[in-house]
Amino acid sequence: ILGISGKTPFAYVGQRGLELFEDHPWLEIRALIADDPADVGKTLAEAVEGRWHLDTPVPEKWAGTRLVGIDKKALESQGVKLVLSALPAPVARELDPKLAELGFAVISESIGLRQEPDIPLLVPDVNADHLQLIEAQRVARGYDGFVAATPLCTAVITAIAVKPIADAFGIRSSVYTTMQALSGAGPTGVPAMKVVDNVVPFIGNEEEKLSAELRKILGSYHDGQISPHQAPLAATCTRVPVRDGHTISITLDCDRP
């Protein structure tokens, strides 16, 4: 896991990963990777002091684990094959490719590379065929590993709902209204006085991200590239005083009844 130290809002994702991968049937955490060289060698407890974003305390199992740097030999010696990267866009654009160059599979939670034409933006239930982009990516970039991106949270659940309807009936146009929980903005993202008893009818850049990412996810793969879904869509993204869990209202105009 990369980006867990708490110095960015994305650290919430990495920290939650410690819980999600505990007793996982297929995956085992082998290393915690520092995104800041100053944290290399620190224990997790030392690195996240004052910056642990979860309600539960730092897991005792990992508290004494020392963070390692982006070093091929060090990571391979610990058995690392796949990296979950939880970084803000500018840092992800630097570090995610670096790990791919070193031969690691990188699953990036960041917006940093999502719209790059050779980076698959994956909702496995919807567009697993987009994984074929990895070969084109390796050739073009000279990677021994690869980078695949996970989409915006609302794009994931929207795509899962819309895909079977699009396949069965076609979509002429669509309208999306999101009611997004506070957790999506990170622990300090929304001032309490602005959202108590309120709906905030704007989230910066969220509507643009939802529109662009849905078009890419629902697009078609052919000859080493993705052709975005062409049906017009409109999105309105709001923040609501709910802690966890987004709700989306979707209106679809279908090609066939």
Side-chain angles (χ1 to χ4, degrees), residues 17 27 35 62 97 112 129-130 153 175 182 199 212 243 252 255:
L27 302 171
D35 54 287
W62 300 105
D129 61 315
H130 291 193
C153 45
V175 178
L182 299 174
V199 173
R243 177 162 183 172
L252 302 176
D255 290 330

Side-chain angles (χ1 to χ4, degrees), residues 19-254:
E19 295 182 338
L20 294 176
F21 293 121
E22 190 70 25
D23 299 322
H24 195 283
W26 306 323
L27 302 171
E28 179 183 10
I29 300 172
R30 292 298 186 93
L32 306 179
I33 307 172
D35 54 287
D36 183 346
D39 289 332
V40 174
K42 290 182 180 179
T43 66
L44 178 62
E46 292 169 341
V48 302
E49 186 175 359
R51 295 193 296 266
W52 184 253
H53 300 313
L54 307 187
D55 291 337
T56 53
V58 179
E60 188 175 335
K61 177 179 178 181
W62 300 105
T65 301
R66 296 194 179 278
L67 274 64
V68 298
I70 297 178
D71 178 273
K72 182 177 176 69
K73 288 185 178 179
L75 294 174
E76 286 182 342
S77 70
Q78 297 194 43
V80 173
K81 296 180 180 177
L82 182 151
V83 176
L84 175 69
S85 173
L87 299 171
V91 186
R93 282 193 287 267
E94 176 190 355
L95 299 186
D96 290 352
K98 186 177 292 186
L99 282 158
E101 289 171 4
L102 295 177
F104 297 101
V106 180
I107 309 302
S108 179
E109 294 283 346
S110 172
I111 188 178
L113 297 169
R114 285 178 189 162
Q115 287 302 321
E116 294 287 325
D118 60 349
I119 302 290
L121 185 60
L122 295 173
V123 182
D125 314 68
V126 171
N127 65 343
D129 61 315
H130 291 193
L131 281 166
Q132 296 173 85
L133 276 177
I134 287 172
E135 289 309 313
Q137 178 192 126
R138 282 173 159 164
V139 171
R141 298 177 181 238
Y143 291 168
D144 290 327
F146 65 84
V147 178
T150 65
L152 186 71
C153 45
T154 48
V156 174
I157 51 180
T158 299
I160 290 173
V162 169
K163 174 65 171 176
I165 299 173
D167 287 349
F169 305 106
I171 295 178
R172 190 177 299 148
S173 63
S174 53
V175 178
Y176 306 90
T177 303
T178 73
M179 290 147 274
Q180 298 179 217
L182 299 174
S183 59
T188 59
V190 182
M193 290 297 288
K194 287 189 176 181
V195 77
V196 171
D197 295 327
N198 193 20
V199 173
V200 181
F202 175 75
I203 305 173
N205 300 317
E206 198 82 353
E207 292 160 3
E208 293 86 351
K209 288 188 287 185
L210 178 58
S211 299
E213 293 186 25
L214 268 179
R215 287 190 174 98
K216 184 172 182 179
I217 295 164
L218 296 174
S220 57
Y221 173 86
H222 184 68
D223 287 341
Q225 60 184 6
I226 301 297
S227 298
H229 197 267
Q230 293 300 306
L233 65 88
T236 300
C237 296
T238 71
R239 189 73 70 189
V240 296
V242 173
R243 177 162 183 172
D244 287 297
H246 301 337
T247 300
I248 305 177
S249 170
I250 305 173
T251 302
L252 302 176
D253 179 16
C254 297

